[in-house]
């Protein structure tokens, strides 16, 4: 370590002594260096000393040189110093300055025909930008670019394309000329990439502090998201400081990926950058070939390089800049050109030129020397140094180094590939977040208890709690596949998290923001506000808003038998029965039907009504209707009755076996339109914010949310909202309340309620989803998302869902009344109304019977009870008449027991026509049957007895009337048996009464 300074001093002293002692040397080189590049001067002198010691190249000739330092940004000073060197007589000019002075030296060299070997130098190790030196096709271009062109934009574009970046930011230091990557910016813009630019100030700490002071937390989180993909175009020292600041201030996380590109990065810089960074780091730098044989590292052909420059373990070699290497190779290239000129014996004397005089001529040997230099080539510290037709060095190689993602600092770096202008990228760059193997990683998980996502399964004193639930099953599936372990705890405030007034977050999200937990999992929905501060995996379950309501208690419907028809329909049917009965009576009254002999039915209004009702209930009737109009009417009525009875029967079965949903709330729209049942949600939850944003949005088309927000926000949200979901569920169960919450949670509660007292309603469209929350920039996000997609694709996620939300649960989720899942026997409640109707009919009939009994007794008390007032017994009359016929040969000796035929009797004592109209039943028939009152029967009995005693001889009567006389029926009624035999009896009317009854059609001829 102490030998190198001594050798360097001796080499410099020897070079200057040689310069002064051999002023007449034929090889003299001029050099112009930037005043800040002292190491360029040291390497230049070392190179001259090494060559002067090599007798195989220059033989007995030695190289002399003159060195001057200039301000790299002062072109006038550079030209003036160059003219001084030309006055001294030089064979070539070597310069290591910036682009500002290089253009002036190019013009001077072209004018004076002095070969100019330009080595572009960047300030303080900042990446180079293209100088833009003007190249002409003529032969008067005497400037040769030793360093290759700037290929940084080509390398960056290739690497970014390989990584498939679409959004990133480029940081550059204050010394870098951003025009150097203008071509790169144009190309990425054409490809649709989103690129941001930011200049890094010299005071990085102040810059970061200003960001925190001026940005709100949302803006700062968006800035953090931008920093996940970044390209650093700056010198190594600035890059180290910048990475340290952003890591210490938590602006970047473990999933960030940064690319640092700079030709001047050495091995020491690489190790330091990797040590300070987190996430993934890719380093692009220029590299040079190194001989595999260690003993040959310091030899290039027949030339031996100083060990201080070729030994990679030497501190001086480790800290050398690329411009230093090219300066050494430039001197070596000139020495080989001089050697070739000496061998060809085409040497020209050195130029001793004056730039001031106008008539100064250029150097005559300049063209020959330039061609010799361009045609030559050398293998040096930078590899092959040669020039193309355009005067540039085409040989350049870039090395791409990188690290994997990880949380620990100082990870190992490996070579990912290389790039050169000829073959392009050689290697594979894959931006894989994490490998599937996470063995040994222990994650700290924060959660919030929410059935059925996270629940406590075991709580033993002195042991960690064990948890179960759907989200725990998903976490276990990820853990089994990736191999990590986890420690779980509940958020201190038992909340999911919401922004506070000071910009911070509480709850589960706050634990992630403050980096007290790595993962947050529960019934956590993905919202834009939460995504601003934490990262989410892809959704592992869809989310929708639901409402939990208490199931209506099933009431006993005693008149379920009337349920198939509406009240209005029953009224219409009753009115139709009355109307049809009236129409039947009217039709028979207008066109009386012809009844058969002996028919005892009548067509009164009462009988018509009774017949229509009987046919409607399918019990038949007794009134014969023979007219066509009546039959048409009854045919239509029977068809109507058939349809009505069939429809009633079919609907009655459905009503007695299926319970209909009678609740008026069957959707969120129904809930928002009513005010009888108050509803709310958990205060400051995601559902609360969702309804608030929708309700306050003036552009929201659906008024449902505005109505819901007015109910939820009563008394600033304190009236109808709760602090925890369990409180809302209990409020629904024991009160008049509806709870608006996650549909999945409410469905689980409704399915597993022991009393099946809940039902749910909600939206079927899922607008969001449940996801796993991670720290902003976590490296686990993509690998977790990928595994979740695999679980969904192979059906494992559905299996986990059915475990907690079975399809065939013990309770019905969507029925608002208590219904049975399976059919059963009908109970007495379903038929209570039928029994009530029967009981009402029995009670009413009993009441009418008592009323009739009372009325008959009351009426009978008015008329004296006599034996003669009884009804005439036609059977007895028949026996009496039959006993009078003693002649065996007489045709009237015997009479049928079922009938008797009489000749017209003396009915002079019968009442008048006006008195008989009210008791005539068949006045429109061919035979008139009258119902006799007691007085009539008594009078007729005396008349018949008198006539019979006299032998039924009533005098000479010119004509006789005959008519049927029917006896009393065995059941006690009158006129039931048909007339079988008829017999004529002479009848002599009493003329004294003066009654003209013979022409009365209503009077019968006999009884």
């Amino acid at each position: 370590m102490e030998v190198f300074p001594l050798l360097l001093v001796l080499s410099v002293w020897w070079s200057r002594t040689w310069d002064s002692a051999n002023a007449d040397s034929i090889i003299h080189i001029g050099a112009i260096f930037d005043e800040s590049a002292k190491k360029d001067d040291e390497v230049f002198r070392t190179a001259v000393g090494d060559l002067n010691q090599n007798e195989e190249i220059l033989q007995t000739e030695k190289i002399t040189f003159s060195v001057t330092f200039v301000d790299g940004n002062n072109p006038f000073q550079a030209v003036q110093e160059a003219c001084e060197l030309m006055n001294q007589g030089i064979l070539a000019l070597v310069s290591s300055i910036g682009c500002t002075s290089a253009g002036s030296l190019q013009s001077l060299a072209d004018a004076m025909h002095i070969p100019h070997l330009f080595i572009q130098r960047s300030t303080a190790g900042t990446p180079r930008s293209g100088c833009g030196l003007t190249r002409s096709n003529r032969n008067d271009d005497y400037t040769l670019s030793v360093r290759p062109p700037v290929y940084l934009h080509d390398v960056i574009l290739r690497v970014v394309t390989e990584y498939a970046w679409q959004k990133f930011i480029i940081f550059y230091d204050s010394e870098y000329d951003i025009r150097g990557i203008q071509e790169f910016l144009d190309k990425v813009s054409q490809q649709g990439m989103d690129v941001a630019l930011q200049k890094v100030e010299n005071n990085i700490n102040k810059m970061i502090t200003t960001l925190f002071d001026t940005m709100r937390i949302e803006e700062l989180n968006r800035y953090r998201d931008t920093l996940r993909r970044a390209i650093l175009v700056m010198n190594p020292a600035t890059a180290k400081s910048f990475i340290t600041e952003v890591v210490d201030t938590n602006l970047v996380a473990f999933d960030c990926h940064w690319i640092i590109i700079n030709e001047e990065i050495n091995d020491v810089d690489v190790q330091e950058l990797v040590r300070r960074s987190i996430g993934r780091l890719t380093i692009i730098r220029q590299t040079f070939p190194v001989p595999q044989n260690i003993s040959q590292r310091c030899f290039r052909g027949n030339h031996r390089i100083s060990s201080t420059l070729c030994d990679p373990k030497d501190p001086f070699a480790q800290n050398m800049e690329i411009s230093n290497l090219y300066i050494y190779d430039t001197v070596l290239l000139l020495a080989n050109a001089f050697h070739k000129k000496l061998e060809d014996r085409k040497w020209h004397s050195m130029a001793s030129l004056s730039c001031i005089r106008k008539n100064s001529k250029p150097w005559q040997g300049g063209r020959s020397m330039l061609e010799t230099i361009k045609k030559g080539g050398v293998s040096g510290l930078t590899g092959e140094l040669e020039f193309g037709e355009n005067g540039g060095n085409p040989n350049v190689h870039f090395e791409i180094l990188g690290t994997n993602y990880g949380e620990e600092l100082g990870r190992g770096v490996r070579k990912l590939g290389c790039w050169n202008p000829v073959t392009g990228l050689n290697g594979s760059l894959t931006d894989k977040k994490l490998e599937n193997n996470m063995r040994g990683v222990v994650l700290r998980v924060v959660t919030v208890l929410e059935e059925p996502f996270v629940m406590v399964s075991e709580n033993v004193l002195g042991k960690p709690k064990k948890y179960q639930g759907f989200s725990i099953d998903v976490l276990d599936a990820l853990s089994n596949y990736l191999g990590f372990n986890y420690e779980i705890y509940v958020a201190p405030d038992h909340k999911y998290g919401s922004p506070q007034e000071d910009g911070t977050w509480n709850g589960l999200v706050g634990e992630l923001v403050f980096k007290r937990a790595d993962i947050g999992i529960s019934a956590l929905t993905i919202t834009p506000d939460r995504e601003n501060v934490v990262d989410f995996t892809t959704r592992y379950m869809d989310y929708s808003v639901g409402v939990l309501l208490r199931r209506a208690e099933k009431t006993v419907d005693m008149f379920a038998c009337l349920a198939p028809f509406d009240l209005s329909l029953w009224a219409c049917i009753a009115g139709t029965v009355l109307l049809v009965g009236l129409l039947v009576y009217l039709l028979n009254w207008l066109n009386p039907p012809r009844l058969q002999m002996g028919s005892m039915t009548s067509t009164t209004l009462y009988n018509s009504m009774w017949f229509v009702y009987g046919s409607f209930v399918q019990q038949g009737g007794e009134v014969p209707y023979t007219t066509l109009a009546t039959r048409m009417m009854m045919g239509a009525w029977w068809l109507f009755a058939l349809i009505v009875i069939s429809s009633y029967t079919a609907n009655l079965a459905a009503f007695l076996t299926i319970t209909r949903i009678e609740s008026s709330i069957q959707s969120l729209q129904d809930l928002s339109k009513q005010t009888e049942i108050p509803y709310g949600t958990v205060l400051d939850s995601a559902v609360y914010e969702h309804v608030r944003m929708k309700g306050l949005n003036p552009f929201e088309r659906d008024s449902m949310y505005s109505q819901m927000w007015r109910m939820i926000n009563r008394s600033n949200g304190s009236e109808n909202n709760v602090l925890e979901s369990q409180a809302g569920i209990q409020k629904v169960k024991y009160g008049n309340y509806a709870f608006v919450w996650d549909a999945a949670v409410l469905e689980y509660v409704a399915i597993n309620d022991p009393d099946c007292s809940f039902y749910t309603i909600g939206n079927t469209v899922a607008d969001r989803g449940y996801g796993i929350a991670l720290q902003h920039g976590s490296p686990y996000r993509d690998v977790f998302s990928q595994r979740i997609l695999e679980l969904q694709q192979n059906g494992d996620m559905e299996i986990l869902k059915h475990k907690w939300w079975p399809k065939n649960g013990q309770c019905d989720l969507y029925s608002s009344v208590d219904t049975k899942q399976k059919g059963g026997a009908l109970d007495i409640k379903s038929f209570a109304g039928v029994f009530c109707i029967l009981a009402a009919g029995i009670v009413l009939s009993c009441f009418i019977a008592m009323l009739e009994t009372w009325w008959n007794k009351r009426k009978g008390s008015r008329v004296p009870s006599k034996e003669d007032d009884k009804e005439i017994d036609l059977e007895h009359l028949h026996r009496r008449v039959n006993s009078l016929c003693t002649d065996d040969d007489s045709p009237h000796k015997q009479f049928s027991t079922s009938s008797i035929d009489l000749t017209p009797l003396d009915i002079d004592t019968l009442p008048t026509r006006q008195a008989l109209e009210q008791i005539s039943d068949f006045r429109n028939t061919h035979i008139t049957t009258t119902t006799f009152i007691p007085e009539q029967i008594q009078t007729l009995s005396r008349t018949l007895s008198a006539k019979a005693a006299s032998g039924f001889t009533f005098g000479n009567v010119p004509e006789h009337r005959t008519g049927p006389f029917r006896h009393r029926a065995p059941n006690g009624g009158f006129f039931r048996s048909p007339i079988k035999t008829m017999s004529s009896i002479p009848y002599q009317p009493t003329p004294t009464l003066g009654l003209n009854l013979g022409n009365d059609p209503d009077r019968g001829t006999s009884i």
Side-chain angles (χ1 to χ4, degrees):
M1 298 295 291
E2 298 177 356
V3 177
F4 170 71
L6 180 59
L7 293 176
L8 184 60
V9 172
L10 292 176
S11 176
V12 173
W13 174 82
W14 175 81
S15 299
R16 292 184 177 179
T17 304
W18 183 272
D19 185 18
S20 59
N22 297 279
D24 56 348
S25 175
I26 62 174
I27 301 176
H28 190 71
I29 303 174
I32 299 178
F33 300 132
D34 191 286
E35 59 186 4
S36 62
K38 301 299 182 180
K39 191 174 291 187
D40 287 346
D41 179 52
E42 296 176 4
V43 174
F44 178 77
R45 296 178 184 274
T46 303
V48 172
D50 290 345
L51 290 170
N52 286 336
Q53 292 179 0
N54 190 348
E55 297 181 353
E56 295 182 4
I57 297 179
L58 297 179
Q59 300 176 0
T60 60
E61 297 295 332
K62 303 298 181 183
I63 299 175
T64 59
F65 58 89
S66 298
V67 178
T68 182
F69 295 93
V70 298
D71 183 1
N73 296 322
N74 191 343
F76 179 77
Q77 181 185 8
V79 172
Q80 185 177 9
E81 294 296 335
C83 287
E84 292 293 336
L85 294 176
M86 291 180 185
N87 289 334
Q88 297 176 14
I90 57 176
L91 295 176
L93 176 64
V94 178
S95 66
S96 175
I97 54 177
C99 294
T100 305
S101 302
S104 302
L105 292 181
Q106 179 187 17
S107 300
L108 179 61
D110 292 343
M112 307 307 294
H113 292 190
I114 300 295
H116 175 212
L117 282 78
F118 168 61
I119 302 168
Q120 182 183 357
R121 178 177 179 80
S122 58
T123 305
T126 301
R128 294 186 302 150
S129 298
C131 285
L133 298 178
T134 304
R135 296 288 180 181
S136 62
N137 295 328
R138 297 177 299 175
N139 294 326
D140 56 355
D141 193 350
Y142 283 83
T143 298
L144 301 177
S145 296
V146 177
R147 292 192 68 171
V150 179
Y151 288 105
L152 294 183
H153 57 276
D154 295 326
V155 182
I156 297 175
L157 182 61
R158 185 68 181 90
V159 172
V160 169
T161 304
E162 189 73 12
Y163 284 141
W165 286 9
Q166 292 297 323
K167 180 180 180 181
F168 54 91
I169 185 172
I170 298 178
F171 292 100
Y172 61 97
D173 58 22
S174 57
E175 301 295 335
Y176 180 71
D177 187 358
I178 194 62
R179 292 175 296 179
I181 59 172
Q182 184 62 46
E183 184 178 353
F184 167 75
L185 296 176
D186 295 339
K187 290 182 179 180
V188 296
S189 178
Q190 294 174 2
Q191 296 181 11
M193 298 182 185
D194 186 4
V195 183
L197 295 173
Q198 184 172 354
K199 182 179 179 180
V200 178
E201 303 295 340
N202 293 329
N203 192 343
I204 300 176
N205 182 270
K206 181 179 179 181
M207 170 187 167
I208 301 299
T209 304
T210 304
L211 290 177
F212 280 95
D213 293 341
T214 57
M215 288 186 177
R216 295 179 300 177
I217 185 169
E218 294 83 3
E219 298 174 340
L220 199 59
N221 289 325
R222 286 194 294 269
Y223 184 69
R224 283 194 179 102
D225 187 67
T226 304
L227 292 180
R228 294 171 61 184
R229 301 291 181 270
I231 298 176
L232 275 59
V233 185
M234 57 184 65
N235 64 73
T238 306
K240 296 173 189 176
S241 301
F242 182 71
I243 291 176
T244 302
E245 288 292 337
V246 295
V247 170
D248 292 343
T249 55
N250 290 327
L251 282 177
V252 292
F254 302 128
D255 71 336
C256 69
H257 186 181
W258 283 13
I259 299 175
I260 303 176
I261 183 167
N262 195 328
E263 299 167 318
E264 302 287 347
I265 298 178
N266 54 38
D267 293 339
V268 177
D269 295 331
V270 169
Q271 295 298 329
E272 188 66 20
L273 289 171
V274 171
R275 187 186 66 82
R276 299 190 182 194
S277 66
I278 60 174
R280 186 175 184 183
L281 187 65
T282 299
I283 300 174
I284 303 175
R285 66 174 182 174
Q286 188 176 352
T287 186
F288 307 101
V290 178
Q292 297 297 328
N293 191 353
I294 300 178
S295 61
Q296 297 296 324
R297 287 182 178 178
C298 295
F299 289 92
R300 300 295 187 271
N302 56 357
H303 177 68
R304 187 182 187 279
I305 304 174
S306 175
S307 61
T308 58
L309 304 178
C310 62
D311 186 3
K313 297 182 180 180
D314 192 282
F316 186 83
Q318 293 178 352
N319 294 318
M320 280 198 307
E321 299 176 358
I322 292 180
S323 60
N324 304 150
L325 302 178
Y326 277 109
I327 287 176
Y328 191 96
D329 289 351
T330 300
V331 176
L332 182 59
L333 176 65
L334 288 176
N336 281 272
F338 297 154
H339 173 72
K340 189 174 182 181
K341 292 292 288 182
L342 290 174
E343 285 184 343
D344 295 341
R345 300 184 179 213
K346 296 180 180 179
W347 190 261
H348 295 278
S349 60
M350 292 182 293
S352 179
L353 306 174
S354 176
C355 302
I356 300 175
R357 291 180 294 183
K358 294 182 180 180
N359 56 354
S360 176
K361 294 181 180 181
W363 181 36
Q364 297 298 324
R367 172 57 53 186
S368 177
M369 184 61 69
L370 178 65
E371 293 297 331
T372 303
I373 295 174
K374 291 178 65 175
K375 292 179 181 180
V378 68
S379 177
L381 294 176
T382 60
E384 295 294 331
L385 176 59
E386 57 186 359
F387 299 99
E389 293 295 331
N390 60 352
N393 179 13
N395 299 319
V396 62
H397 296 271
F398 287 92
E399 183 182 38
I400 303 175
L401 305 175
T403 64
N404 292 325
Y405 287 95
E407 301 180 18
E408 70 280 0
L409 300 176
R411 300 170 310 284
V413 62
R414 60 188 178 91
K415 185 177 180 179
L416 303 177
C418 58
W419 185 93
N420 63 74
V422 179
T423 61
L425 179 64
N426 182 14
S428 177
L429 306 180
T430 54
D431 192 10
K432 292 184 179 178
K433 281 286 186 177
L434 287 171
E435 301 296 334
N436 289 335
N437 187 6
M438 294 177 60
R439 305 292 176 184
V441 178
V442 179
L443 302 178
R444 187 163 175 79
V445 181
V446 60
T447 187
V448 173
L449 297 180
E450 187 75 76
E451 297 181 350
F453 291 87
V454 179
M455 300 175 289
V456 178
S457 62
E458 182 178 339
N459 187 10
V460 180
L461 185 62
K463 295 183 179 180
K465 294 182 180 179
K466 294 184 179 180
Y467 298 87
Q468 65 177 359
F470 176 65
S471 296
I472 300 299
D473 291 345
V474 174
L475 184 61
D476 289 338
L478 296 176
S479 175
N480 296 333
Y481 180 77
L482 299 175
F484 66 87
N485 297 321
Y486 63 87
E487 298 174 353
I488 190 169
Y489 71 99
V490 179
D493 55 1
H494 302 278
K495 295 182 178 179
Y496 288 100
S498 59
Q500 305 301 302
E501 296 180 356
D502 57 355
T504 60
W505 282 72
N506 63 352
L508 182 149
V509 178
E511 296 294 303
L512 295 172
V513 172
F514 291 107
K515 301 186 182 300
R516 291 190 287 263
D518 301 312
I519 295 177
I521 191 168
S522 184
L524 187 64
T525 55
I526 304 173
T527 63
D529 291 339
R530 291 171 178 171
E531 277 196 307
N532 287 333
V533 293
V534 296
D535 286 345
F536 279 97
T537 63
T538 185
R539 63 174 65 181
Y540 61 86
M541 183 177 179
D542 292 333
Y543 164 86
S544 61
V545 177
V547 182
L548 184 69
L549 298 103
R550 185 175 60 182
R551 200 186 304 273
E553 297 181 359
K554 186 176 179 180
T555 58
V556 178
D557 189 3
M558 297 180 59
F559 296 96
C561 57
L562 303 178
F565 289 165
D566 187 61
L567 180 62
S568 60
L569 182 57
W570 281 116
C572 291
I573 292 175
T576 304
V577 171
L578 298 177
L579 178 62
V580 174
L582 179 62
L583 291 176
V584 170
Y585 172 74
L586 292 177
L587 290 176
N588 283 280
W589 184 80
L590 294 174
N591 189 11
R594 298 180 65 87
L595 301 179
Q596 296 179 359
M597 186 67 66
S599 175
M600 297 306 298
T601 58
S602 62
T603 57
T604 61
L605 179 62
Y606 169 77
N607 287 340
S608 298
M609 294 292 182
W610 181 255
F611 174 73
V612 171
Y613 172 76
S615 62
F616 177 75
V617 296
Q618 299 181 353
Q619 298 300 318
E622 298 180 357
V623 180
Y625 296 102
T626 59
T627 62
L628 179 61
T630 306
R631 290 184 176 182
M632 291 292 294
M633 171 68 70
M634 293 310 299
W637 170 250
W638 288 337
L639 180 62
F640 170 79
L642 175 64
I643 296 175
V644 171
I645 294 301
S646 300
S647 301
Y648 173 81
T649 304
N651 285 338
L652 181 63
F655 270 84
L656 293 179
T657 56
I658 299 177
T659 305
R660 292 186 177 181
I661 299 176
E662 300 179 355
S663 177
S664 60
I665 302 177
Q666 298 300 323
S667 64
L668 289 176
Q669 287 78 5
D670 297 339
L671 181 69
S672 63
K673 293 177 182 178
Q674 61 84 39
T675 56
E676 297 179 359
I677 301 178
Y679 52 90
T681 184
V682 177
L683 193 64
D684 295 331
S685 63
V687 178
Y688 181 86
E689 293 297 325
H690 176 71
V691 176
R692 183 182 65 84
M693 293 179 62
K694 290 279 190 178
L696 298 179
N697 186 4
F699 301 101
E700 180 65 35
R701 296 182 179 181
D702 194 353
S703 60
M704 175 188 70
Y705 290 101
S706 61
Q707 296 172 352
M708 292 181 64
W709 174 243
R710 284 194 292 269
M711 173 65 74
I712 291 177
N713 196 40
R714 283 185 179 179
S715 303
N716 293 326
S718 60
E719 180 177 347
N720 295 327
N721 295 307
V722 294
L723 298 179
E724 294 182 357
S725 60
Q726 289 298 325
I729 295 172
Q730 294 299 319
K731 195 172 181 180
V732 173
K733 190 168 187 176
Y734 299 106
N736 185 33
Y737 183 72
F739 184 49
V740 183
W741 195 235
D742 298 0
V745 177
L746 301 181
E747 288 177 0
Y748 176 81
V749 172
I751 290 176
N752 295 277
D753 183 60
D755 300 329
C756 293
S757 58
F758 299 121
Y759 77 98
T760 62
I761 59 174
N763 288 331
T764 58
V765 179
D767 55 349
R768 284 178 288 173
Y770 298 99
I772 300 177
L774 306 98
Q775 291 183 14
H776 192 81
S778 173
Y780 311 120
R781 182 185 64 175
D782 291 347
V783 68
F784 279 16
S785 298
Q786 181 180 359
R787 180 54 184 163
I788 289 173
L789 292 176
E790 293 176 359
L791 292 174
Q792 293 173 345
Q793 185 176 4
N794 57 28
D796 292 341
M797 195 67 73
E798 287 297 324
I799 296 175
L800 296 179
K801 289 181 182 178
H802 292 162
K803 175 182 176 182
W804 300 101
W805 291 275
K807 292 184 178 180
N808 299 323
Q810 61 179 357
C811 302
D812 187 1
L813 288 176
Y814 310 109
S815 175
S816 59
V817 295
D818 188 11
T819 59
K820 298 180 179 179
Q821 296 292 332
K822 298 182 180 179
L826 298 176
D827 53 7
I828 187 63
K829 298 179 181 178
S830 302
F831 280 91
V834 180
F835 287 98
C836 290
I837 293 175
L838 178 61
I842 294 174
V843 172
L844 183 61
S845 63
C846 293
F847 176 75
I848 293 176
M850 291 187 296
L851 186 63
E852 286 181 343
T853 302
W854 174 79
W855 176 257
N856 291 333
K857 288 183 178 180
R858 186 173 181 276
K859 183 178 180 181
S861 62
R862 296 178 183 178
V863 180
S865 177
K866 297 179 180 180
E867 189 66 25
D868 295 339
D869 294 339
K870 296 181 179 180
E871 295 179 342
I872 182 170
D873 190 348
L874 296 183
E875 186 98 20
H876 179 67
L877 177 62
H878 169 72
R879 288 195 299 270
R880 291 186 60 188
V881 173
N882 207 22
S883 65
L884 295 175
C885 301
T886 60
D887 188 0
D888 296 336
D889 299 331
S890 175
H892 305 289
K893 182 178 179 179
Q894 296 293 334
F895 294 93
S896 174
T897 59
S898 60
S899 63
I900 181 170
D901 295 335
L902 299 176
T903 58
L905 301 178
D906 188 5
I907 56 174
D908 295 338
T909 59
L910 293 176
T912 62
R913 173 184 177 91
Q914 291 76 11
L916 292 175
E917 286 181 353
Q918 60 183 348
I919 62 173
S920 177
D921 292 331
F922 300 95
R923 63 180 181 177
N924 292 327
T925 62
H926 294 285
I927 180 169
T928 302
T929 303
T930 55
T931 303
F932 297 97
I933 59 176
E935 292 79 6
Q936 296 170 328
I937 297 175
Q938 184 178 3
T939 303
L940 180 59
S941 177
R942 289 193 299 267
T943 303
L944 292 175
S945 299
K947 294 295 183 180
S950 59
F952 287 87
T953 301
F954 299 103
N956 296 325
V957 181
E959 60 179 352
H960 296 268
R961 297 185 192 179
T962 61
F965 178 77
R966 284 181 280 181
H967 65 84
R968 183 181 181 91
N971 59 2
F974 289 102
F975 316 122
R976 290 294 182 186
S977 300
I979 299 175
K980 296 182 179 180
T981 59
M982 299 184 66
S983 176
S984 299
I985 300 177
Y987 170 68
Q988 181 66 41
T990 304
T992 59
L993 293 175
L995 298 174
N996 186 16
L997 301 175
N999 297 327
D1000 191 354
D1002 295 335
R1003 298 297 299 272
T1005 59
S1006 65
I1007 59 173

